[in-house]
Amino acid sequence: MSLRRRTLLKVIVLGDSGVGKTSLMNQYVHKKFSQQYKATIGADFVTKELQIDDRLVTLQIWDTAGQERFQSLGVAFYRGADCCILVYDVNVLRSFDTLDNWREEFLNQASPSDPKTFPFILLGNKVDIDGGNSRVVSQKKAKEWCASKGNIPYFETSAKEDYNVDAAFLSVAKLALANEHEQDIYFQSIPEAVSETEQRGGGCAC
């Protein structure tokens, strides 16, 4: 008989400022949506527990600021991630065009053991706006981008209407679970990475 295991999975959410990263997380975890936009400063995270088969899974979902000045949050932030969610706004072309940059930024910082197989998922958010009439990025274009990156999963979502949010994050959890065997080593190394700067300046030969 197999014992039920509790697993902690680290998920990073990336994308331009204003695409709805925080709103998606709040809708998924707290079932709340706010019309007021408040930019995330640096990084923050929320947790959500769910059960997948015989596993008790705790998703630790990290929200990042989309502004470029917060992009280099350091290796310690990205390291140990089990899945990366890329988010864009279907009504803003620039947020789609920068996806390549966000993906490269993640791979450079996180240095996964196998970049080609590391799990990403793409969310096209804000499909509710103007009944879909204001969208500028078609589903076809988004799926073509996903196909060019190794057929990564794609979901169209609305944090406001709670459309497809649960389904998207369940897919994230399953992807992360498949990748979680990598995480234990990295989690232990995070405190070292954070204190690296102090260590460099702390030596004394006297």
Side-chain angles (χ1 to χ4, degrees):
M1 187 177 74
S2 62
L3 294 171
R4 291 167 74 185
R5 292 177 54 196
R6 181 177 293 277
T7 305
L8 177 67
L9 299 173
K10 184 177 180 181
V11 177
I12 308 289
V13 185
L14 297 176
D16 279 6
S17 182
V19 297
K21 299 185 296 294
T22 306
S23 294
L24 283 165
M25 291 166 57
N26 285 336
Q27 180 60 262
Y28 177 58
V29 176
H30 306 298
K31 293 300 173 191
K32 288 180 181 176
F33 177 81
S34 173
Q35 292 280 11
Q36 294 180 313
Y37 174 64
K38 182 184 173 188
T40 303
I41 305 300
D44 196 7
F45 74 89
V46 294
T47 58
K48 171 93 168 182
E49 292 196 343
L50 63 160
Q51 185 165 339
I52 299 175
D53 300 325
D54 64 339
R55 292 280 192 100
L56 290 171
V57 176
T58 300
L59 277 186
Q60 189 183 71
I61 310 166
W62 286 81
D63 181 17
T64 59
Q67 297 96 327
E68 282 70 17
R69 67 181 182 277
F70 293 120
Q71 260 184 289
S72 298
L73 289 165
V75 172
F77 172 74
Y78 292 91
R79 189 61 63 83
D82 297 289
C83 184
C84 179
I85 303 173
L86 298 170
V87 185
Y88 75 99
D89 180 343
V90 299
N91 310 285
V92 180
L93 183 60
R94 186 184 181 278
S95 70
F96 179 79
D97 288 341
T98 56
L99 289 174
D100 279 317
N101 295 341
W102 286 112
R103 185 173 176 274
E104 286 305 310
E105 165 81 3
F106 175 84
L107 290 173
N108 288 338
Q109 296 280 2
S111 301
S113 56
D114 188 352
K116 291 182 179 176
T117 60
F118 185 86
F120 285 90
I121 188 167
L122 178 64
L123 305 187
N125 195 36
K126 302 192 181 183
V127 293
D128 59 278
I129 292 182
D130 193 24
N133 293 320
S134 62
R135 75 179 292 163
V136 293
V137 182
S138 67
Q139 190 176 70
K140 181 173 180 282
K141 187 171 184 178
K143 286 184 173 178
E144 285 173 351
W145 186 86
C146 288
S148 74
K149 306 300 177 191
N151 290 319
I152 68 174
Y154 173 62
F155 289 84
E156 300 209 325
T157 57
S158 165
K160 182 180 179 181
E161 303 292 336
D162 193 13
Y163 170 70
N164 242 2
V165 177
D166 281 2
F169 277 95
L170 178 60
S171 179
V172 167
K174 288 180 176 178
L175 280 171
L177 202 55
N179 189 56
E180 62 95 18
H181 65 276
E182 301 283 349
Q183 62 140 15
D184 296 334
I185 310 159
Y186 291 132
F187 263 56
Q188 292 164 19
S189 71
I190 285 177
E192 296 170 56
V194 171
S195 61
E196 246 173 32
T197 313
E198 299 165 8
Q199 289 170 6
R200 274 201 296 271
C204 178
C206 49

